[in-house]
Amino acid sequence: MGHSKDSKEGKSCCTWPKVIIAVVLLAVVGIVIWQFAPIDETLDKFLPDFNKTSSPTTSPVQGTTAVPTAAPTAAIPFNRCASDAQCCINGLDNICDLGVDKVMYSMVHNAMSSVDDGFFLLPNHVKPLERALEAGYRGINVDLCNCGGKLELCHGRCDLGTKDVEETFRNINQFLDDNRNEVLMLTMEVNSDADGAVDLFAFRDMISNIDGLLSKFYVHPAIDVVWPSLRQVVASNKRILFFHFNGPNCRDTECPDGMHFWFEYAAETEFSFPNTAALEDSPNSCKVTRGGNLQREPASRTFFAVNDFVTPAKQSSAEVVNEYSFANKRIQECKAEYNDLDVNVISVDYWQRGDLVRLQQDVNQARGTQSQSRSRQLRTNTQTTANA
């Protein structure tokens, strides 16, 4: 009997430390979830909304895009084209003759990582990328992984969530078929560290099953060739500007047609910021840390991409940095850091927060107006010279 009592006491002594460790671990997990996970939106996904009286989205009309009424900011019409406009691309009627590298694309960073797609641990978004397209975002960034021999969209690790490649690109293709005047930029990080090597040709073969998708990929002939206008890519139905990075550089290794190495054509700012204050430090946060030389001649000018998010993704931070005035200030400051070079891409997390689409449209509308003004002035000067 005494031996049995000693045994029980020994087990009790061993059990309490385990209990304490378990409680501490649960507390740590709880703090992480409280700090970073989108709890409200996650609950909304599973709990019924008794106040909902209509569908949260409006189906886009061909050539136009509707903004989800469920967005936390006021709905802003994406399509600003006049009813009698002869040309309307990406919701504007004065940018048709701008080069595809002269406009700005609001980019959904790590777009596959959403709560709705099953990414519950530190997701980058709540709603899926398909909804972001409907809302007016014209840039999509995803990560491609090899998960147990199957290509999937994942973020860092396959066991933390995946999104089906074919389904995703089929949805993107359908969006473009439904909206014939929209031009998209897609950037893809090649992640060969998740579970195995990623083969771009295998990716090409996978999405080749999607009718009409690969034919929409624009193929740029050479880095020193001027990029086409929006009007030209719409007319030729080459409306996907596709880039990849962290994989083959397409110089030493062959790449599939239309799959351009991002940093051959683009320069990008630092992408890891611990808080919003670090983003506000523009002399450092605007520094180009990856990509090409920004001082190239205009004929071979690169895309200039600015990152506007904190790591890890956090909704409270997104509510600040995605806000119109903050994001506008950021692109203006980064532009000033590089001799007034226009920003082409601004990437964000939690795309439903803030006013990025409105900023995108305002910036592009202003660039279209400036271009038209310069063209009119050039015609006036030419005519004046001819009449002299």
Side-chain angles (χ1 to χ4, degrees):
M1 293 292 291
H3 176 76
S4 176
K5 181 179 180 181
D6 291 343
S7 176
K8 289 180 179 179
E9 288 178 351
K11 288 181 180 179
S12 177
C13 291
C14 294
T15 301
W16 277 110
K18 293 179 181 178
V19 171
I20 293 172
I21 291 173
V23 170
V24 170
L25 288 175
L26 287 173
V28 170
V29 171
I31 291 172
V32 170
I33 292 174
W34 173 65
Q35 283 290 313
F36 299 108
I39 295 173
D40 293 341
E41 285 78 1
T42 303
L43 290 175
D44 287 344
K45 181 180 178 181
F46 297 103
L47 297 178
D49 184 354
F50 297 104
N51 295 321
K52 186 181 294 183
T53 57
S54 61
S55 173
T57 58
T58 303
S59 299
V61 179
Q62 183 168 323
T64 68
T65 305
V67 177
T69 57
T73 53
I76 302 162
F78 172 80
N79 189 341
R80 303 181 181 181
C81 295
S83 59
D84 59 348
Q86 295 183 350
C87 178
C88 178
I89 297 176
N90 285 15
L92 296 171
D93 56 15
N94 67 341
I95 63 172
C96 299
D97 294 314
L98 290 181
V100 296
D101 61 333
K102 306 299 183 186
V103 295
M104 188 175 79
Y105 305 83
S106 54
M107 177 80 71
V108 184
H109 172 241
N110 286 337
M112 69 287 158
S113 175
S114 74
V115 173
D116 277 9
D117 285 309
F119 292 76
F120 292 105
L121 184 61
L122 304 183
N124 292 83
H125 308 278
V126 175
K127 297 299 179 182
L129 64 86
E130 291 86 352
R131 289 284 301 276
L133 290 175
E134 294 173 4
Y137 280 83
R138 289 298 170 261
I140 297 293
N141 162 249
V142 295
D143 292 6
L144 182 66
C145 308
N146 181 338
C147 298
K150 181 183 179 182
L151 293 179
E152 300 271 14
L153 301 180
C154 85
H155 188 204
R157 294 170 55 100
C158 298
D159 55 2
L160 296 181
T162 61
K163 185 173 171 69
D164 187 78
V165 171
E166 274 197 74
E167 180 184 2
T168 300
F169 279 85
R170 194 178 303 279
N171 291 340
I172 291 172
N173 186 57
Q174 187 62 56
F175 174 83
L176 289 172
D177 284 344
D178 292 341
N179 298 274
R180 301 283 180 170
N181 295 326
E182 302 305 298
V183 178
L184 305 182
M185 176 183 285
L186 303 181
T187 66
M188 184 175 76
E189 178 177 352
V190 176
N191 181 356
S192 291
D193 297 327
D195 197 27
V198 171
D199 183 352
L200 281 180
F201 283 93
F203 167 70
R204 189 272 314 273
D205 292 343
M206 176 178 280
I207 63 174
S208 67
N209 298 322
I210 303 169
D211 186 37
L213 175 64
L214 285 177
S215 66
K216 294 183 179 72
F217 279 41
Y218 168 74
V219 180
H220 198 58
I223 193 168
D224 56 351
V225 175
V226 177
W227 287 81
S229 68
L230 290 164
R231 186 193 299 271
Q232 288 172 317
V233 295
V234 167
S236 60
N237 199 23
K238 301 293 184 181
R239 294 179 289 130
I240 296 177
L241 310 175
F242 189 94
F243 301 91
H244 63 88
F245 58 97
N246 287 2
N249 61 20
C250 302
R251 293 190 306 270
D252 305 322
T253 305
E254 185 182 3
C255 293
D257 287 343
M259 298 187 183
H260 312 92
F261 181 56
W262 177 233
F263 295 123
E264 182 76 10
Y265 297 94
E268 187 176 306
T269 65
E270 174 59 46
F271 61 91
S272 181
F273 303 101
N275 48 49
T276 58
L279 280 166
E280 291 179 290
D281 180 16
S282 58
N284 289 311
S285 66
C286 290
K287 281 182 180 177
V288 168
T289 57
R290 299 188 293 177
N293 179 7
L294 287 176
Q295 307 307 321
R296 287 175 175 162
E297 292 299 316
S300 58
R301 174 184 177 282
T302 57
F303 294 89
F304 184 21
V306 170
N307 293 313
D308 188 35
F309 50 82
V310 303
T311 304
K314 193 174 180 182
Q315 278 201 94
S316 58
S317 297
E319 288 171 354
V320 175
V321 304
N322 295 9
E323 193 266 327
Y324 188 102
S325 61
F326 187 103
N328 187 43
K329 182 172 181 284
R330 176 146 177 76
I331 64 173
Q332 297 305 326
E333 288 177 344
C334 290
K335 175 180 178 179
E337 289 287 331
Y338 289 96
N339 300 318
D340 284 336
L341 184 66
D342 284 336
V343 172
N344 301 109
V345 176
I346 179 167
S347 298
V348 297
D349 287 327
Y350 288 106
W351 63 263
Q352 284 187 288
R353 302 299 181 187
D355 302 303
L356 259 294
V357 170
R358 180 162 65 95
L359 177 61
Q360 169 191 260
Q361 297 305 84
D362 283 353
V363 167
N364 288 336
Q365 192 164 39
R367 291 182 188 178
T369 300
Q370 292 168 0
S371 177
Q372 290 177 338
S373 178
R374 286 193 296 267
S375 295
R376 285 193 296 269
Q377 187 61 50
L378 180 61
R379 287 195 297 270
T380 298
N381 294 343
T382 300
Q383 187 167 359
T384 299
T385 302
N387 294 336

